[in-house]
Every structure is written in C-alpha cells, then in structure tokens.
Amino acid sequence: MSWHHDKHNPHTIISPATLENVTKNPFRSDIERTFLHIDMDAFFASVEIRDNPALEGRPVAVGGSHGNRGVVTAANYIARKYGLKAGMTAVEARRRCPHAVFLRVRGEKYTYVSAQIMAALERFSPDMRPLSVDEASLEITGCLKLYGGAVRIGEEIKQLIWSKFRLPSTVGIGPNRLVAKMAANLGKPDGLLVIHSEEAAEVFAPLPVDKMIGIGKATTNALNGIGITTLGQLAKAPDRLLKSRFGILGPVMKKLARGEWSGRMRKDEDRGPIERSIGHQRTYGEPISDPAALKAKLVALAEMVARRVRRARMVGRVLTLTIRYTDFTTISHQSVLPVITDDEDELILHAWRLLNEALEEKRKVRLLGLSLGRLKSKEKHDRQLDIFFSNLKLKHEELHNALDNLRDRFGERVIARAMGGRWEPRK
DNA sequence: TCTGGGGTCCTAGGACCC
DNA sequence: TCTGGGGTCCTAGGACCC
C-alpha cells in the first residue's frame, strides 16, 4: 500500500520521491489488470462550499435544512469532526453541532456538475463507468504506458478535477474494481491510495466487516453473531460455516475479504441499462389517512414519474406502489401494466387500484412512493407499434409536451389536474 | 437517534407451460 | 388420473448503496 497525499496542497498530491517510483509501473500489467476508482469527497457539501466561499472553514451539512423531519445527506469533513454524517437525522445533527450550516439539497446542480466530471474522466480511459453521482470506475490497464503509470493517471485526474471544478476527490488504485473502490474509501479525504493484489488481504484484515462493499447492517449482525467481526476473520472462516449461514453469498463474501473479485459492479454493466426504473417517493409532514388526500398525493407522484420517464424518452411496464405507515412498516405492491406506457393517466389508474388493494383501512400513511420499472427506449418501442395506433397517439403526446413545457417554465404547480371520477377504478 | 430520496439486486413461492 | 422436472414470469419483501 502506498500513499500519495498532501492535505495542505491539493495541487501537488504526490511527492517528487514518489513520482520517481511511479514511472515504474506498480503493476505487472502483462499479467494483471489495473483499475482506478474515483470518489468525490463530501460531494454535495463540497459543491455548495465551492459556490459560496463564505462557508469555507465552517461545518456544513446538506439536507435537514427545513423542519425536523429530515436527514443529512452529506457533511463536509469539518462537520464530520462533530460526528455528523450522511443519514443522520436533522435533530441529532443539530444537537451535535448547533453552529453547523444546514443547506437545502440542490439535486439538479449536483447532477449537472457530475455529468461534467464524468465527461472529463472519459478521456482517461475508453472504459469509464459512472457508478453513482459522485464516483466512477476506470480500467486503465491499456493506458498505463501512455500516462507513465497508474499513480500518474490518478494524480492527473485529481489535479484536473481540482483545477477545472475546484472540487476535492480521492483516487483508489487496485488490481480489480473492488480493491480500487476499497482503496478510495480508505484513502479519503483528498487522497490517492494504491493497494497491490498481494497486499489487499493484509490491508483489509484489521477492518470491521461492515467496511466491505456489500456488507451492511443485517449481514454485519449475522456475522458478529457467529463470532466474525473483522475481514481477517471472515477471510479465514470455514466455507462450510459461511455457506450454511449465508448460502451462496457466504463464499463470495470470503473472496471479497481476501481482495479477490472478478465479477461485475452492476448486473446491467455489459448489457446496457435496460432494467432501470424511475420513481419518486414522499414523506409527509402530517401522516394521511383521508382517501381523497391520498389520491391527490398519488396523482402528484404519477405526474412527476411520467414526466421524468417521458423526458428520458422511455416507456415502462411495471408499476410499483410503496406505502409506509406511521409505525414505519413498509409494504409494496406492483403489477405488470396491460400496456407499456409513459402516460400519467395510465399510472394514476393503476396506482389507485394498487393503493386500494394494498392499503389497510384507516391506517395513517407516512410515505407514498411510485416507481415505473422495466423501462425501455421509447424509440425502439414505437418502431414496433402499428402506424395506425401511432397516429392516434400523436394528439395525446402533443398535449403532454405542452404541459411539460409549461411546467418546465413555470414550475410544477402551474397546472393542477382536475380531480374527478375519471380515474376511479372500475368495480 | 424516531428514521429522506434516488436507486439496484437477490430471493422465494406460486402460477403456468411443456 | 394426484403425478416429474425444468423454465420463466409475476409478486412481495429485504439488503444494500450513495
């Protein structure tokens, strides 16, 4: 494991002495592949601070800015010193750090910045995969020579993101995507960490099991229950024990703990994004039990979902309704729609049906969610449609486009749907 | 600590078909 | 007729990630 880190000056993240080393490729690329993982540091908070220098040097949390019913979605490293972190309730965060600045989440802005960063990363490797809004994985095996080694590439990427976007990031480098990602996690913040294949198991061994990607709360509890608390212990655990307790996942976890991994980051990685879904959910300040009020919320959700689906030029087939009651029990009902669609009327009709099937009488609803899944490209779908039907559809689409334009220009509320019996499910 | 919102993937039972 | 095994789809729920 080698560190290339200079907290005081993000411009020079690597010492001249290290630079000497990296011209020798840290990986034997003839037999090994090399991956680079880049992860933005406290991304949402960093973007906000960049755009408002008055926040520099202060504890900053994004999220939890209005009311008490919210959570922090990102906290800068100063705020983290007070224990603030993503997922913490606003109440708890304010208790721990009353003088922190709490900011509204501005999702569109982060998405925009993210897209620019991803575009910039693309020039470093033809195999660049965005994994979320703030991280990406690159295979750099083929471009090591071009740039003079893996660490050089990491250094250039960090420097580019700093100089072009004024945002701090951490780079991890390893023999597979998993080890590279773990290296980035361990190298935070503002770091560049290399973990070689031979040393991965050794580096992971002292870590608690929940530091491993894919091992969350439930699995951690289960592992602790059989006396396994560190990745080192997991790496040495008997296969039989793991298999009986976790099924096929057991041996997989063990391999991960040893730094061995050859799988995919995501299922859709090599077949394109075909199973994606688009959805929205809302937690209501006041829990709702009145059917008319529930319907109004459902209509609003359906409109948001349909609009995003149309904007993405997709159509979808599976509608999922989620209901969370005040005691936090959460249920979901889904159904395959009779037609593949991007039409809110269709969504409303079936969402309302699902709600009536699923909702337990008189219980108060804390959250409603609506999601359209099994999406596919509208163009592809339309080509398969009968010309006769496409002509009929045209009028409807013109209406939708007009409404979408109005909403884009004047906000979500400019046009409210008239409530009527039109969407009542047929008995 | 009284718990947001965006997702993906996996599992397991039942239906249904051959 | 009470009876096999495999494949695939549908559905609900849960784990996990950022």
Side-chain angles (χ1 to χ4, degrees):
Chain A
M1 180 161 69
S2 48
W3 287 89
H4 310 274
H5 202 162
D6 180 353
K7 284 196 179 165
H8 305 292
N9 186 357
H11 299 275
T12 51
I13 45 177
I14 179 168
S15 70
T18 328
L19 210 61
E20 188 80 22
N21 280 333
V22 302
T23 42
K24 300 171 207 147
N25 180 3
F27 295 95
R28 293 161 295 170
S29 63
D30 49 328
I31 51 166
E32 247 181 25
R33 300 167 71 183
T34 305
F35 295 88
L36 184 150
H37 189 98
I38 172 132
D39 202 326
M40 304 300 294
D41 298 333
F43 184 49
F44 297 178
S46 298
V47 171
E48 295 296 344
I49 294 165
R50 176 194 75 176
D51 292 348
N52 181 2
L55 297 173
E56 196 82 48
R58 301 179 62 187
V60 173
V62 178
S65 61
H66 42 259
N68 283 337
R69 179 157 268 165
V71 297
V72 170
T73 61
N76 70 347
Y77 280 83
I78 299 171
R80 288 188 202 193
K81 278 196 214 142
Y82 297 89
L84 269 63
K85 55 182 180 185
M88 178 176 281
T89 63
V91 177
E92 172 75 0
R94 260 178 253 274
R95 192 181 64 71
R96 285 177 184 253
C97 188
H99 62 291
V101 185
F102 290 87
L103 301 169
R104 197 171 66 84
V105 183
R106 291 193 283 180
E108 336 72 49
K109 184 164 164 180
Y110 315 137
T111 309
Y112 176 74
V113 177
S114 174
Q116 289 189 309
I117 293 172
M118 296 303 169
L121 289 176
E122 230 159 12
R123 82 169 169 86
F124 288 92
S125 162
D127 183 3
M128 192 284 295
R129 309 181 185 185
L131 295 177
S132 73
V133 70
D134 74 335
E135 58 182 332
S137 175
L138 289 75
E139 167 151 24
I140 51 172
T141 313
C143 13
L144 290 173
K145 283 218 180 88
L146 184 66
Y147 287 92
V151 175
R152 276 274 183 81
I153 300 178
E155 179 205 29
E156 271 207 43
I157 286 179
K158 269 175 70 77
Q159 220 152 64
L160 177 81
I161 289 178
W162 179 257
S163 62
K164 194 165 174 188
F165 303 101
R166 295 278 142 188
L167 291 170
S169 61
T170 295
V171 162
I173 293 168
N176 58 48
R177 294 188 196 275
L178 172 95
V179 172
K181 183 174 162 89
M182 290 290 287
N185 286 350
L186 296 172
K188 284 188 156 294
D190 192 22
L192 196 161
L193 180 61
V194 179
I195 299 179
H196 296 82
S197 49
E198 321 85 71
E199 58 190 2
E202 199 184 321
V203 174
F204 295 168
L207 302 174
V209 288
D210 64 355
K211 293 286 178 203
M212 177 55 61
I213 323 296
I215 300 184
K217 215 166 136 192
T219 312
T220 298
N221 286 340
L223 283 168
N224 290 350
I226 54 173
I228 296 174
T229 57
T230 68
L231 290 175
Q233 290 168 335
L234 177 57
K236 287 193 199 123
D239 273 339
R240 219 162 39 84
L241 173 68
L242 293 174
K243 211 174 262 173
S244 70
R245 194 76 178 65
F246 300 99
I248 57 160
L249 215 66
V252 173
M253 287 195 301
K254 179 169 170 171
K255 283 194 129 187
L256 296 182
R258 296 168 169 232
E260 295 163 17
W261 190 73
S262 55
R264 296 168 295 187
M265 277 309 218
R266 278 161 45 166
K267 199 175 151 200
D268 62 15
E269 223 167 65
D270 29 42
R271 23 159 235 182
I274 58 167
E275 283 275 315
R276 288 189 56 240
S277 65
I278 289 179
H280 283 283
Q281 57 177 60
R282 278 287 167 272
T283 297
Y284 305 110
E286 273 305 308
I288 307 172
S289 53
D290 171 44
L294 283 171
K295 185 161 179 187
K297 299 298 186 192
L298 216 49
V299 168
L301 286 172
E303 283 174 345
M304 289 198 291
V305 171
R307 191 150 73 97
R308 264 185 65 208
V309 170
R310 284 196 294 270
R311 195 181 284 175
R313 311 195 133 277
M314 307 278 257
V315 280
R317 195 73 207 257
V318 178
L319 187 67
T320 306
L321 171 79
T322 306
I323 299 171
R324 173 128 73 216
Y325 296 111
T326 41
D327 67 356
F328 229 72
T329 54
T330 306
I331 58 167
S332 69
H333 274 222
Q334 62 174 206
S335 88
V336 177
L337 300 179
V339 288
I340 187 160
T341 189
D342 61 359
D343 183 325
E344 57 241 49
D345 290 350
E346 199 72 34
L347 301 190
I348 292 164
L349 178 74
H350 291 280
W352 182 235
R353 176 176 60 77
L354 286 170
L355 183 74
N356 283 311
E357 284 168 17
L359 188 67
E360 291 172 39
E361 284 288 315
K362 305 234 164 91
R363 287 191 75 178
K364 287 196 166 180
V365 173
R366 174 198 172 84
L367 169 149
L368 280 182
L370 200 61
S371 159
L372 187 63
R374 231 196 278 170
L375 298 175
K376 67 176 205 177
S377 139
K378 187 171 166 61
E379 272 77 22
K380 232 180 249 172
H381 177 68
D382 278 354
R383 252 179 272 136
Q384 297 158 2
L385 262 191
D386 213 355
I387 293 238
F388 181 75
F389 281 118
S390 338
N391 281 340
L392 273 182
K393 276 165 54 76
L394 222 54
K395 289 256 153 64
H396 214 131
E397 263 168 36
E398 280 164 12
L399 174 65
H400 280 314
N401 288 340
L403 290 181
D404 287 352
N405 284 339
L406 278 172
R407 292 197 183 105
D408 283 342
R409 279 161 60 195
F410 304 111
E412 206 62 57
R413 277 174 206 190
V414 63
I415 293 179
R417 178 170 294 274
M419 300 284 296
R422 205 167 133 215
W423 300 283
E424 294 297 338
R426 268 165 285 203
K427 294 275 156 66

